[in-house]
Amino acid sequence: MARPQAKATRPVPRRAPRYIYGFGAGRTDGRADMKNLLGGKGANLAEMSKIGLPVPPGFTISTDVCTYYYAHGRNYPPGLRTNVAEALRRIEKALGRRFGDPEKPLLVSVRSGARASMPGMMDTILNLGLNDRTVEGLARESGNPRFAYDSYRRFVQMYGDVVLGLKPESKDEEDPFEVALQEKKRARGVTLDTELDADALRELVGEFKALIKMRRGVVFPEEPQEQLWGAIGAVFGSWMNQRAITYRKLNGIPEEWGTAVNVQAMVFGNMGDDSGTGVAFTRDPATGENVFYGEFLMNAQGEDVVAGIRTPLPISALKDENPAAYAELVKIRRTLEQHYREMMDIEFTIQQGKLFMLQCRVGKRTAAAAIRIAVDMVRERLISTDDALRRVEPAQLSQLLRPVFDSTETKRAFDEKRLVARGLNAGPGAATGRVAFNAEDAIERAAGGEPVILVRIETSPEDIGGMNAAQGILTARGGMTSHAALVARQMGKVCVAGCEALVIDYRARTMRIADRPEVVREGDFISIDGSTGDVYLGQIATTPSEVVRVLVDRTLDAENAPTYRLYAQLMKWADKSRRLRVRANADQPDQCANAIAFGAEGVGLCRTEHMFFGEGKIEPVREMILAGTAEERRAALAKLLPLQRADFEGIFRVMAGRPVTIRTLDPPLHEFLPHDEAGQREVASALGISYERVRERVEALHEFNPMLGFRGCRLGIMYPEITEMQARAIFEAAANVKAEGIAVEPEVMIPLVGHPKELALQTDLVRGVATAVMKETGVRFRYLVGTMIEIPRGALTADEIARIAEFFSFGTNDLTQTTLGVSRDDAGRFLVPYVADLEIYPRDPFETIDREGVGALMRIAAEKGRATAPKLKLGICGEHGGDPASVAFCHELGLDYVSCSPFRLPIARLAAARAALGA
Ligand code: ADP
Ligand code: MG
Ligand code: MG
């Protein structure tokens, strides 16, 4: 046998782990697909450098360093300082400037950048490297002292806030730096930041430093190296600040991911009127239209556009300001779309006429835009139909079904002069609610069940919790790409931004509107239209969306409904890709019609008890419950039979041959009786029996734990005549409708089965009735009898149950209650903190299937059931059937269908398609 060569066995020399990845300056180490390591910003800066776009040189400190930092008591890995110094030297060389040099100082930005984009969550510091000496160098070199001191002023302000922690101390306090800035403008008699001269700015720098000294007890660091490491530490530190934690929680971003830090040579948009900065989307993020969409400000830096310091100009106006830069930008727009095959969100800066790219990432968009862009890009042959399905988040589809303001009410509001202002249409949809002026109050009001409109001068990441709690967001400042607008679109919230007529007083908790007498106080109602930007006083009723008007109300033709047509195209692709079938939970013919309009292929759950509350039905139901003998009970049930039969006929007609799963009576009987004396007396007199008898019966039916009490199949087992009547109503209806020439597929479903014998008892009964009805009517029809799997014993004995059942439907609401031992209706007190704070469950288990517990039981039941009966039909009819993550799980388990409420069907269809594509 050949001996292995010595060379092959020698250990490979271990290279020191790499912490730093450079971009620009002649060499680029990263790529777009290295987001895990470089964060989104770093990876895309590298990618843009690679494809030859003008990116200022810099380097990325990887997320590994963040992980190391937190694993080692906030210390850096050995060698990092040397690596940073080397990387910095490369930039110095490329640009011919030196960090800290008093003549030609290199200035840098220090930028965070996590794997998933977290807009504004982590803080960026610009113009780092300035101090009392380098600022003079910058002034001399640029011949523009105003520019130099403007940069210095900004740097001290950002550094003071982010690194040294000088922030407002209460929710009513304004930013202390902004107060000083406003004061300076007032003293100089100017209104815009750009009107402050070099002297004023130099004074401000001094005042800012004094403010820091006074309020934070620290001296502003003059030494650039100290500034740099302070900033790097602050970026890593900010990964664990409260607003980052909140954001991660809301968006399901794990803490382990960490953030990267980007250090990048500065370019200056504040060098004068031939300079500027802007943000843009390669397509309209609100509508998806294929137009270049963005905003810019001349003589401005960094976040000026987003923060709403001045109201920016639309990107098309750049054509006049600087035709060359505009032309280059338009070219880059095309390059980026062709390269990424996506709608991108970009940041750029123009320094003395020269264009630089500072960021690009996949752009956030509304649901309508997501669909339009996906469909358009397929037509433009940029992406495949599978890609298109991957591009639209299922949950976003609910935005398309969201109501808009009722047009007559809007007109009335207009006539009553309640349309008081107009801002930017930043987040589509219509919302009406009570005003709250800060996040805390918004959260509190929302928790009390009130609809809230959060009104802010501008929002910041601290407001995220409040934005989430609110129905809508209204801001006085900021553009279409402001923080408020971005976050609102992502959350699917209604938003009107940059409504400059608003005069908001946080301390007094009031809002006035320029040229109007009214004062809006906290708690007053206002209404905002995020599709037009209109702001109204008072409440306005809402009406259905375009898709709903076409499909459900049928008050709009598809030809006149462009959004609907895009939706329909996407759904067509989804239906082609998915394996799971979709059904609806529907109890009435009109609900069934809606369900079909939304794509239902059957009814997965028809709750017969909902019918009992219909007109003329509750009386015989009560009579049945109050009956003293089986005879009396039968008499009452005989009255119910024709009513139930008529209901089922209606449903079968609408469903026209699609399967309809009907569940026999499930809830505990006391739910049908009044619990107060007046109500009980009324029932007594209506039925001609004594009040005492009603009261005694209600008391006899009382249970300590009705959820686990006399309900489900237990009712039909103890009172077989109930199941008998229901089976008869179902089968007679089936026979009648079939005789009309309409196909029928009834499926009778027995609830809450834990023991095979329970199911056997009910099944025998149901089959007996079916045979009898076929004989009586002379109509033959197919039918199935199956069961819900909703208590653990049922799941665990599924092999036995499958000998009797022809289908299983997972009732995941009850299965979650019984598996977790948690009553959903009593869980609020602990389940919210369980999920939000303690992270015991990653998501609310009543919204998304708890895979490890409930999911494990489902898997057992599916496997055991199919071991006995390989063709056993499996479905789910709990609320989870419309939740994308749960739909994916059902796909994985190999279920045949999911069933959910009609309005969630589009979500289920898309989620099922994406599950099939492995998206
Ligand atoms: P965020 O993650 O909040 O978007 P960024 O790191 O992108 O923060 O930076 C904030 C602002 O500063 C952006 O407008 C960005 O374009 C600008 N900026 C960042 N680095 C530089 C730089 N080197 N030169 C000029 N502007 C910069
Ligand atoms: Mg940015
Ligand atoms: Mg149930």
Side-chain angles (χ1 to χ4, degrees):
M1 207 184 226
R3 250 204 254 162
Q5 284 189 313
K7 211 168 117 202
T9 56
R10 205 184 299 146
V12 184
R14 259 221 286 161
R15 276 209 279 140
R18 170 162 205 178
Y19 294 123
I20 298 210
Y21 295 75
F23 54 85
R27 206 183 83 199
T28 294
D29 306 319
R31 279 189 323 265
D33 62 7
M34 288 165 69
K35 285 198 180 63
N36 295 1
L37 199 59
L38 305 182
K41 205 179 283 168
N44 282 326
L45 282 168
E47 188 78 11
M48 284 197 293
S49 304
K50 256 196 159 62
I51 62 174
L53 300 186
V55 177
F59 58 89
T60 304
I61 306 176
S62 80
T63 56
D64 281 351
V65 176
C66 188
T67 309
Y68 184 102
Y69 181 77
Y70 282 106
H72 293 81
R74 305 203 177 209
N75 285 303
Y76 298 115
L80 186 70
R81 279 173 197 272
T82 322
N83 297 155
V84 166
E86 281 162 10
L88 206 52
R89 217 164 301 134
R90 281 241 315 261
I91 304 175
E92 290 179 333
K93 236 166 132 191
L95 298 179
R97 324 180 63 85
R98 280 190 20 241
F99 194 54
D101 186 287
E103 291 309 318
K104 258 186 122 185
L106 169 68
L107 304 187
V108 295
S109 63
V110 176
R111 322 170 64 186
S112 64
R115 207 189 288 191
S117 105
M118 293 169 62
M121 293 312 301
M122 316 287 283
D123 300 300
T124 290
I125 294 162
L126 303 178
N127 309 327
L128 190 139
L130 281 175
N131 56 28
D132 290 346
R133 284 175 31 161
T134 53
V135 73
E136 288 301 331
L138 190 66
R140 274 194 302 276
E141 185 200 351
S142 62
N144 185 346
R146 191 208 166 268
F147 149 70
Y149 277 95
D150 183 52
S151 304
Y152 198 13
R153 179 284 288 181
R154 290 166 185 272
F155 171 49
V156 177
Q157 180 169 353
M158 281 183 261
Y159 200 90
D161 170 0
V162 177
V163 184
L164 305 176
L166 178 46
K167 294 174 191 291
E169 271 159 20
S170 78
K171 61 184 181 185
D172 295 319
E173 192 192 332
E174 272 191 67
D175 181 69
F177 291 117
E178 285 299 326
V179 173
L181 181 62
Q182 298 302 334
E183 178 51 34
K184 184 63 65 189
K185 286 195 278 191
R186 204 195 50 76
R188 295 288 168 128
V190 301
T191 50
L192 297 175
D193 298 5
T194 43
E195 293 168 327
L196 287 174
D197 62 15
D199 274 342
L201 293 164
R202 182 188 294 118
E203 284 169 27
L204 261 181
V205 168
E207 287 160 23
F208 282 180
K209 287 182 179 172
L211 210 56
I212 292 168
K213 179 88 211 340
M214 185 178 74
R215 300 251 318 236
R216 304 297 301 163
V218 289
V219 177
F220 182 83
E222 298 281 324
E223 171 51 47
Q225 282 295 337
E226 188 186 344
Q227 294 172 353
L228 179 63
W229 285 98
I232 293 172
V235 173
F236 285 137
S238 70
W239 180 248
M240 289 295 180
N241 74 25
Q242 198 46 53
R243 58 195 222 211
I245 292 171
T246 305
Y247 187 89
R248 283 203 291 277
K249 224 161 240 172
L250 284 171
N251 292 279
I253 298 171
E255 199 175 288
E256 306 82 70
W257 282 7
T259 181
V261 179
N262 302 289
V263 178
Q264 186 178 25
M266 282 302 302
V267 286
F268 302 98
N270 55 336
M271 268 196 163
D273 289 334
D274 58 352
S275 303
T277 178
V279 290
F281 293 89
T282 55
R283 298 185 190 212
D284 186 329
T287 65
E289 199 188 338
N290 190 357
V291 291
F292 198 17
Y293 188 92
E295 307 173 310
F296 72 99
L297 272 177
M298 293 313 274
N299 199 9
Q301 190 177 50
E303 306 275 61
D304 288 4
V305 175
V306 186
I309 307 289
R310 284 176 278 150
T311 295
L313 297 172
I315 200 83
S316 55
L318 184 61
K319 208 186 313 187
D320 307 324
E321 292 279 349
N322 192 322
Y326 180 76
E328 191 178 0
L329 201 56
V330 167
K331 226 174 88 195
I332 287 174
R333 169 192 178 218
R334 214 187 126 73
T335 307
L336 284 173
E337 279 217 345
Q338 297 288 330
H339 184 72
Y340 284 91
R341 296 164 188 267
E342 251 293 15
M343 188 274 269
M344 303 301 285
D345 168 352
I346 62 179
E347 290 176 3
F348 63 90
T349 280
I350 300 165
Q351 176 177 322
Q352 298 186 311
K354 177 156 175 31
L355 180 70
F356 292 95
M357 297 301 294
L358 289 167
Q359 192 173 329
C360 83
R361 62 186 167 196
V362 171
K364 300 263 186 280
R365 60 204 79 178
T366 63
I371 294 179
R372 175 154 185 187
I373 291 168
V375 174
D376 281 354
M377 285 194 167
V378 170
R379 291 177 183 155
E380 294 161 28
R381 300 187 185 283
L382 275 177
I383 61 172
S384 68
T385 55
D386 287 358
D387 290 333
L389 295 169
R390 290 193 186 97
R391 295 274 172 95
V392 183
E393 280 300 325
Q396 276 193 314
L397 291 175
S398 60
Q399 275 186 45
L400 287 194
L401 308 182
R402 185 157 338 126
V404 293
F405 283 137
D406 175 272
S407 59
T408 44
E409 282 221 18
T410 315
K411 186 171 179 313
R412 178 145 45 94
F414 183 80
D415 293 342
E416 291 168 4
K417 305 215 176 340
R418 288 197 281 131
L419 171 59
V420 290
R422 180 166 294 157
L424 301 168
N425 52 337
T432 209
R434 293 184 188 274
V435 169
F437 288 107
N438 60 62
E440 234 171 87
D441 294 346
I443 293 168
E444 200 176 304
R445 280 182 181 274
E450 288 177 8
V452 176
I453 307 289
L454 177 65
V455 179
R456 299 286 292 166
I457 297 172
E458 55 202 273
T459 64
S460 74
E462 275 92 353
D463 297 325
I464 290 217
M467 297 172 78
N468 192 46
Q471 308 290 310
I473 296 134
L474 172 62
T475 65
R477 282 196 238 146
M480 287 299 278
T481 48
S482 63
H483 178 266
L486 277 180
V487 175
R489 280 200 290 273
Q490 190 182 345
M491 288 181 169
K493 297 280 177 189
V494 177
C495 178
V496 173
C499 186
E500 297 187 3
L502 305 185
V503 184
I504 297 169
D505 184 337
Y506 286 152
R507 273 182 213 277
R509 312 248 167 114
T510 59
M511 164 175 101
R512 297 194 327 100
I513 297 112
D515 307 324
R516 299 274 310 190
E518 296 92 346
V519 177
V520 178
R521 292 173 201 288
E522 183 190 331
D524 288 353
F525 269 105
I526 60 166
S527 300
I528 58 173
D529 188 332
S531 309
T532 60
D534 290 341
V535 179
Y536 300 88
L537 300 179
Q539 283 175 277
I540 299 180
T542 51
T543 70
S545 73
E546 196 182 288
V547 173
V548 170
R549 270 183 295 159
V550 174
L551 287 177
V552 178
D553 304 347
R554 292 164 210 257
T555 51
L556 186 64
D557 273 344
E559 281 94 280
N560 303 322
T563 307
Y564 165 76
R565 291 207 307 276
L566 293 164
Y567 155 89
Q569 175 61 265
L570 191 81
M571 284 295 126
K572 209 165 143 188
W573 291 334
D575 291 344
K576 240 195 251 160
S577 293
R578 68 186 158 90
R579 183 193 57 72
L580 275 171
R581 310 216 122 218
V582 294
R583 296 195 187 187
N585 298 349
D587 315 319
Q588 250 132 43
D590 60 333
Q591 291 174 9
C592 291
N594 292 350
I596 290 174
F598 284 125
E601 297 163 289
V603 167
L605 176 63
C606 170
R607 301 175 172 94
T608 46
E609 64 270 16
H610 285 187
M611 301 172 171
F612 286 174
F613 287 100
E615 211 172 314
K617 281 174 222 157
I618 191 70
E619 294 80 13
V621 169
R622 287 173 172 164
E623 205 177 319
M624 180 255 299
I625 294 168
L626 294 166
T629 65
E631 273 317 287
E632 284 177 19
R633 199 154 38 242
R634 267 182 217 290
L637 285 165
K639 291 186 202 168
L640 267 176
L641 175 68
L643 303 171
Q644 279 243 289
R645 186 175 58 218
D647 286 333
F648 294 137
E649 284 171 357
I651 291 173
F652 288 142
R653 280 193 198 106
V654 173
M655 294 310 291
R658 297 176 183 85
V660 178
T661 305
I662 298 164
R663 177 175 73 185
T664 53
L665 191 63
D666 184 46
L669 297 178
H670 72 85
E671 283 189 11
F672 298 99
L673 294 173
H675 289 89
D676 59 310
E677 181 176 334
Q680 289 172 359
R681 283 192 185 280
E682 222 170 276
V683 169
S685 76
L687 296 181
I689 53 176
S690 72
Y691 156 66
E692 282 71 26
R693 179 151 160 212
V694 177
R695 201 195 62 205
E696 276 165 25
R697 190 74 183 124
V698 171
E699 276 168 17
L701 287 171
H702 172 79
E703 292 175 313
F704 286 106
N705 195 343
M707 184 192 72
L708 300 176
F710 187 35
R711 55 169 290 217
C713 65
R714 298 155 198 177
L715 295 168
I717 289 168
M718 301 314 291
Y719 301 135
E721 51 281 8
I722 298 179
T723 304
E724 231 170 74
M725 181 282 286
Q726 292 202 300
R728 181 163 279 279
I730 294 167
F731 293 134
E732 287 183 357
N736 293 349
V737 172
K738 185 154 188 216
E740 293 167 12
I742 301 170
V744 288
E745 285 287 330
E747 302 178 343
V748 181
M749 179 160 77
I750 310 298
L752 218 73
V753 166
H755 198 292
K757 278 189 191 165
E758 290 178 310
L759 182 61
L761 284 169
Q762 291 285 286
T763 304
D764 286 350
L765 224 148
V766 171
R767 293 195 184 286
V769 175
T771 314
V773 171
M774 286 194 227
K775 207 178 215 169
E776 287 157 25
T777 59
V779 181
R780 299 197 61 79
F781 48 83
R782 282 189 310 182
Y783 71 95
L784 299 178
V785 189
T787 186
M788 288 183 80
I789 299 291
E790 54 184 338
I791 53 181
R793 196 181 193 286
L796 296 170
T797 57
D799 46 348
E800 291 302 314
I801 290 176
R803 285 184 212 290
I804 309 156
E806 290 171 303
F807 65 87
F808 287 174
S809 177
F810 290 101
T812 46
N813 300 341
D814 270 313
L815 190 59
T816 301
Q817 298 202 93
T818 52
T819 302
L820 274 53
V822 168
S823 149
R824 179 175 58 177
D825 301 327
D826 302 313
R829 209 170 298 159
F830 59 91
L831 203 51
V832 171
Y834 257 43
V835 176
D837 307 328
L838 302 167
E839 297 181 4
I840 292 175
Y841 294 107
R843 306 259 208 99
D844 180 341
F846 290 102
E847 266 170 37
T848 296
I849 289 173
D850 154 44
R851 287 191 181 216
E852 291 77 33
V854 175
L857 279 171
M858 291 171 72
R859 193 182 295 277
I860 290 171
E863 282 167 7
K864 285 193 156 192
R866 282 194 166 150
T868 302
K871 292 231 165 80
L872 185 70
K873 185 158 26 167
L874 299 176
I876 176 176
C877 62
E879 284 300 306
H880 301 96
D883 165 65
S886 307
V887 171
F889 181 64
C890 292
H891 175 88
E892 208 181 294
L893 281 190
L895 300 199
D896 296 292
Y897 68 86
V898 296
S899 187
C900 60
S901 63
F903 278 71
R904 294 180 88 183
L905 279 164
I907 298 175
R909 286 157 77 190
L910 182 55
R914 285 163 54 106
L917 295 173

